[in-house]
């Protein structure tokens, strides 16, 4: 296996049939997806006509949403059952602008270097053994001048209380064991990996949740869930 944790793949495979149930364990992803999509378009501009790779696409919630905006989307993952769910849902919805492949990000980057306008990697870095290698692969996939988006969880006491104790055990928004605190990533670490991969961070956004109103919103607070937008420097003029 390449840069993947077999236990993580098994965990998401067990839940694969629930990806598109908005009241299932994936409810948080359905709720935040419009905000993620809106922020991506706010930073990178309209998606229509753009070539996009969604790394760690899971059941295709974000991939399909970007395709609905007119992008040509390739969703990649190493969880076969999740990909089958994504393919079936896109087929049933009649969405032809999204394709899915069982392939590692690093292998795809070697096959299709600098070929894509936008690369997204959302809620995936905290589930792999070597997240810096995924960041490098995302950089390799994107064209000069293109955009790369990451989202993950911060590593601090507040994130442990909110994302694990609160979300998994008290509120049961996610299955217990979904996240491993030691794999959470500080923004400073992700920014360092991004710059080492020749990406220029240009924007950040936090994602907050009110358990009483069950509402999510974007903010400047990066202490728990956060997103980072990067650009690859444009190629110098010939």
């Amino acid at each position: 296996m390449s840069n993947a944790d077999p236990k993580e793949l098994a965990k998401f495979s067990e839940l694969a049939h629930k990806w598109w149930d908005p009241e299932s364990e994936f409810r948080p992803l359905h709720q935040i997806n419009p905000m993620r999509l809106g922020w991506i378009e706010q930073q990178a501009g309209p998606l229509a006509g753009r070539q996009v790779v969604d790394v760690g696409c899971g059941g295709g919630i974000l991939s399909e949403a970007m395709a609905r905006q007119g992008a040509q989307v390739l969703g990649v993952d190493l969880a076969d059952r999740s990909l089958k769910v994504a393919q079936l849902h896109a087929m049933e919805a009649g969405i032809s602008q999204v394709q899915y492949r069982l392939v590692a990000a690093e292998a795809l980057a070697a096959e299709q270097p600098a070929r894509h306008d936008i690369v997204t990697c959302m809620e995936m870095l905290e589930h792999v053994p070597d997240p810096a290698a995924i960041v490098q692969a995302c950089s390799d996939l994107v064209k000069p001048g293109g955009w790369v988006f990451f989202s993950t969880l911060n590593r601090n006491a507040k994130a442990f209380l909110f994302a694990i104790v609160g979300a998994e055990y008290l509120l049961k928004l996610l299955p217990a064991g979904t996240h491993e605190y030691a794999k959470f990533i500080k923004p400073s670490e992700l920014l360092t990996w991004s710059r080492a991969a020749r990406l220029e961070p240009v924007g950040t956004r936090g994602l907050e949740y009110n358990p009483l109103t069950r509402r999510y919103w974007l903010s400047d607070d990066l202490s728990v869930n956060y997103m980072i937008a990067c650009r690859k420097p444009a190629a110098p003029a010939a």
Side-chain angles (χ1 to χ4, degrees):
M1 184 62 69
S2 57
N3 185 12
D5 183 338
K7 292 184 295 183
E8 294 286 333
L9 295 179
K11 181 168 60 184
F12 284 100
S13 290
E14 285 299 312
L15 294 170
H17 63 288
K18 297 184 178 181
W19 269 106
W20 285 94
D21 179 356
E23 298 303 320
S24 73
E25 293 90 336
F26 294 108
R27 175 184 176 132
L29 288 183
H30 287 277
Q31 289 183 299
I32 68 174
N33 200 54
M35 287 177 279
R36 297 189 302 182
L37 182 65
W39 192 66
I40 289 169
E41 289 206 287
Q42 180 185 341
Q43 298 295 309
L47 294 175
R50 313 282 279 282
Q51 296 287 333
V52 180
V53 173
D54 187 16
V55 173
C57 64
I61 295 173
L62 179 60
S63 297
E64 193 169 299
M66 293 190 291
R68 289 179 184 274
Q69 295 298 101
Q72 292 287 339
V73 181
L74 174 61
V76 301
D77 206 293
L78 290 174
D80 189 40
R81 289 175 65 182
S82 294
L83 286 176
K84 285 183 168 61
V85 169
Q87 289 168 331
L88 179 61
H89 194 273
M91 184 175 67
E92 291 177 342
I95 299 173
S96 61
Q97 289 179 249
V98 60
Q99 304 294 323
Y100 295 101
R101 280 185 61 185
L102 183 73
V103 63
E106 296 93 331
L108 186 68
E111 176 190 320
Q112 300 182 3
R115 196 177 298 182
H116 304 277
D117 300 304
I118 297 171
V119 177
T120 58
C121 182
M122 315 300 264
E123 286 82 48
M124 184 263 204
L125 292 175
E126 68 273 19
H127 296 289
V128 298
D130 186 0
I134 300 294
V135 173
Q136 181 64 61
C138 291
S139 176
D140 292 342
L141 281 163
V142 77
K143 296 175 181 176
W147 291 83
V148 179
F149 294 89
F150 300 107
S151 69
T152 189
L153 285 155
N154 203 337
R155 190 174 69 255
N156 55 40
K158 181 179 177 182
F160 176 78
L161 289 172
F162 278 59
I164 295 182
V165 176
E168 295 184 18
Y169 292 92
L170 297 180
L171 301 175
K172 301 191 184 301
L173 298 173
L174 300 167
T178 296
H179 294 113
E180 184 179 335
Y181 175 71
K183 292 185 176 180
F184 288 6
I185 299 166
K186 292 180 177 293
S188 58
E189 294 168 339
L190 183 48
L191 290 169
T192 297
W193 298 337
S194 298
R195 293 186 179 106
R198 296 178 297 110
L199 294 173
E200 296 178 348
V202 295
T204 59
R205 211 76 177 110
L207 192 67
E208 296 190 68
Y209 177 71
N210 185 324
L212 298 179
T213 62
R214 303 177 78 183
R215 186 177 71 88
Y216 291 88
W217 69 96
L218 298 182
S219 75
D220 294 324
D221 183 354
L222 309 185
S223 60
V224 183
N225 295 81
Y226 66 95
M227 300 185 287
I228 291 180
C230 300
R231 291 201 80 174
K232 193 164 189 181

